[in-house]
Amino acid sequence: MTVAAVISADEGDPVPALGMEMKVRRRHLDGLFVVEATIGPGAVVFPHTHSREDECSYLLSGELTYLIGDEVRVASAGSYVVRPRGIRHAFWNALGTPARIIEMHTPATFDGFYDRVGAILTGPGLDTPRGRAAFDELSAEYGLVQHWDQVPGLIDRYGMGRR
């Protein structure tokens, strides 16, 4: 059963390890999941493909560089970035200032993923074999394909994660 709600600016379910707050969850709308996040300077969300959700980001402030399929585009405040399911994408903050985004997933099948990623990051971390295995297992559970093999080439080509 879904519930109506007014979610104020200071409300939401925080995931501190990811710098985000989950705002609209599956309990509110079964078809939409919304988070607000701060993407720090040099931060990278490495290439991945969703098999179950479409995504759309709205940049509140700052600038992010997006890889969508084979196209690289820079998005600034006020931009919408649309990423349909089945299309590989990544993004990174190449500037020295944080960016703020609203991230929308439809349907709400991704609800729960970020809670669990936060637990991995505050536990073993992604830079350990145990943490990476847990992240890959979680990704598979949510129908998310990680493209780890493409990371070195993208870092070399676009300098993602470097400031």
Side-chain angles (χ1 to χ4, degrees), residues 31-34 48-57 81-87 89 103-110 114 142-144:
L32 181 67
F33 174 58
V34 180
H48 61 280
T49 302
H50 293 264
S51 64
R52 301 176 189 156
E53 304 84 25
D54 299 316
E55 286 183 284
C56 182
S57 297
V81 182
V82 178
R83 297 166 327 272
R85 70 189 81 183
I87 296 179
H89 57 277
E103 183 84 11
M104 298 159 273
H105 301 256
T106 183
T109 48
F110 219 56
Y114 294 122
Y142 277 82
L144 192 64

Side-chain angles (χ1 to χ4, degrees), residues 36-117:
E36 287 185 30
T38 299
I39 312 299
V44 178
V45 174
F46 287 116
H48 61 280
T49 302
H50 293 264
S51 64
R52 301 176 189 156
E53 304 84 25
D54 299 316
E55 286 183 284
C56 182
S57 297
Y58 177 76
L59 272 76
L60 295 165
S61 64
E63 182 178 286
L64 295 172
T65 304
Y66 284 83
L67 169 71
I68 305 170
D70 292 325
E71 186 178 354
V72 174
R73 300 273 309 264
V74 175
S76 57
S79 298
Y80 289 86
V81 182
V82 178
R83 297 166 327 272
R85 70 189 81 183
I87 296 179
R88 173 192 61 145
H89 57 277
F91 61 92
W92 59 96
N93 184 342
L95 299 182
T97 56
R100 294 264 315 139
I101 63 171
I102 295 174
E103 183 84 11
M104 298 159 273
H105 301 256
T106 183
T109 48
F110 219 56
D111 193 343
F113 180 82
Y114 294 122
D115 299 291
R116 294 173 62 192
V117 170

